[in-house]
Amino acid sequence: MSSTSMRLATFDRYGPPEVLSVTTGPVPRPRAGEVLVRVRAVSVNGGELALRAGRLRPFSGKRFPKGVGIDLVGEVVTASGRFAAGDLVWGLFGRRAGSAAEYAAVRADRLDHVPAGLDAVQAAALPAGTTAITALRDVAALAPGERLLVRGATGGVGYVAVQLGKAMGAHVTGLAGAHNLDLAKELGADDVLDYRAPGDLGRFDVVLDTVGTDLPALRRLLTPRGRVVTIAFDLDHPVRSLAYIAAHSVHRRRWVRAFSGNPTAPLFAELGRWVTSGAIRPQVDRVFPLEQIAGAHRALEQGGVRGKIVVRID
């Protein structure tokens, strides 16, 4: 690529992973408050799959082409504020997506330095951990000694939540596929259960749900002062799912609440401290080059992922 053009992944219609292609476009020019980053790696997130498939069409509209990639790890191109040229940074590109590209202009308040000891691929497996921090620390106010159930314990958010919950002093139960129970245990879960045949789960003070379905059943698992925090909703029945969350978010006991992560630099700094302390470590499932981004999306859609799928951008 020349100094004024770059490779980037886009899609020009909704559909399966095959609608994704790698094309060329201009290198973005950072505006005031933005930093130009040479992107080295991004992760693949569930929300991107729904966006690309058209399941979020009421929110995403009909304008094409659309980019993919909502987080990123890369090197600062030119010094800006607290960032020097060459600094390895991680952060959030934005909800509009588009970080799966050779360069990205990112708001400085969405970036922080990558902790020492992590390479770009390892670091790209971790930004979703900011969602786990918000869910457990800020929304659920998880306390030491409480019982935590993580549904999707080996997925992109769940694998961090298991480690974080354990570090926060909770008794952690991981719900995952049978072939991933070993990983959930390695991550620190006290108990691990196959989500297809969980048996009697018992009662929990906090349930972190990464799937968005069967919320009434999860609520029935709560202790009297328990709380469900979900980071998803049922895309097959969106109105019913969102209505249920709204109706039960106002309860003082056994409430169900949802949120959409939108992390800024201080939250990435907090994630970095947990990583530096050794409480959270990255878990990379597979790495795909940018040219195979359709394969990366397909792999996540097939399920059974152990950690994060990362797209490397050389």
Side-chain angles (χ1 to χ4, degrees):
M1 293 297 99
S2 73
S3 60
T4 58
S5 65
M6 66 175 185
R7 295 175 298 145
L8 70 160
T10 65
F11 59 100
D12 59 9
R13 64 192 185 281
Y14 294 122
E18 288 71 26
V19 302
L20 290 166
S21 64
V22 176
T23 183
T24 61
V27 173
R29 294 182 178 181
R31 295 175 293 187
E34 292 184 334
V35 177
L36 184 62
V37 176
R38 171 62 170 95
V39 182
R40 294 301 180 185
V42 302
S43 74
V44 181
N45 297 278
E48 295 176 76
L49 305 188
L51 171 68
R52 187 216 68 235
R55 303 184 76 185
L56 300 176
R57 200 175 312 224
F59 310 102
S60 55
K62 300 179 181 179
R63 295 184 63 180
F64 294 98
K66 297 182 186 296
V68 291
I70 59 175
D71 54 37
L72 78 164
V73 176
E75 297 149 1
V76 173
V77 175
T78 54
S80 178
R82 59 195 179 94
F83 300 112
D87 282 355
L88 189 64
V89 295
W90 60 3
L92 181 74
F93 178 74
R95 290 176 171 172
R96 68 189 186 278
S99 62
E102 288 186 297
Y103 292 90
V106 189
R107 282 173 46 184
D109 63 357
R110 301 287 185 184
L111 293 171
D112 199 55
H113 294 90
V114 169
L118 291 181
D119 62 30
V121 168
Q122 292 171 323
L126 286 165
T130 58
T131 300
I133 293 172
T134 300
L136 298 184
R137 183 192 66 186
D138 302 334
V139 182
L142 180 68
E146 289 194 309
R147 289 177 54 82
L148 166 67
L149 174 67
V150 179
R151 184 189 187 198
T154 56
V157 174
Y159 95 85
V160 178
V162 168
Q163 297 178 80
L164 181 62
K166 193 65 181 174
M168 293 174 71
H171 182 284
V172 181
T173 297
L175 202 58
H179 62 292
N180 284 345
L181 298 182
D182 61 330
L183 175 58
K185 198 70 174 177
E186 290 172 15
L187 293 169
D190 298 285
D191 301 309
V192 294
L193 298 168
D194 182 354
Y195 76 90
R196 292 185 179 90
D200 183 7
L201 289 170
R203 293 292 179 265
F204 298 92
D205 301 293
V206 175
V207 175
L208 174 57
D209 170 48
T210 67
V211 182
T213 60
D214 303 318
L215 292 176
L218 294 179
R219 185 171 181 261
R220 288 194 291 271
L221 299 176
L222 295 178
T223 60
R225 294 186 177 275
R227 48 266 190 220
V228 173
V229 180
T230 182
I231 62 171
F233 60 91
D234 188 346
L235 290 172
D236 292 326
H237 307 94
V239 174
R240 185 172 68 191
S241 180
L242 292 171
Y244 182 86
I245 293 169
H248 290 85
S249 66
V250 297
H251 288 234
R252 296 186 65 183
R253 294 189 175 192
R254 300 178 68 196
W255 49 253
V256 179
R257 292 177 188 166
F259 77 97
S260 177
N262 195 25
T264 55
L267 195 50
F268 279 99
E270 174 71 10
L271 175 63
R273 288 191 287 272
W274 284 110
V275 172
T276 300
S277 74
I280 293 174
R281 64 183 188 275
Q283 176 68 33
V284 178
D285 180 296
R286 278 165 285 178
V287 182
F288 292 80
L290 179 63
E291 287 72 18
Q292 295 179 21
I293 192 165
H297 273 231
R298 190 179 306 109
L300 184 57
E301 282 187 346
Q302 290 171 345
V305 173
R306 297 166 64 89
K308 267 292 186 181
I309 290 176
V310 174
V311 175
R312 187 185 68 247
I313 303 173
D314 296 322

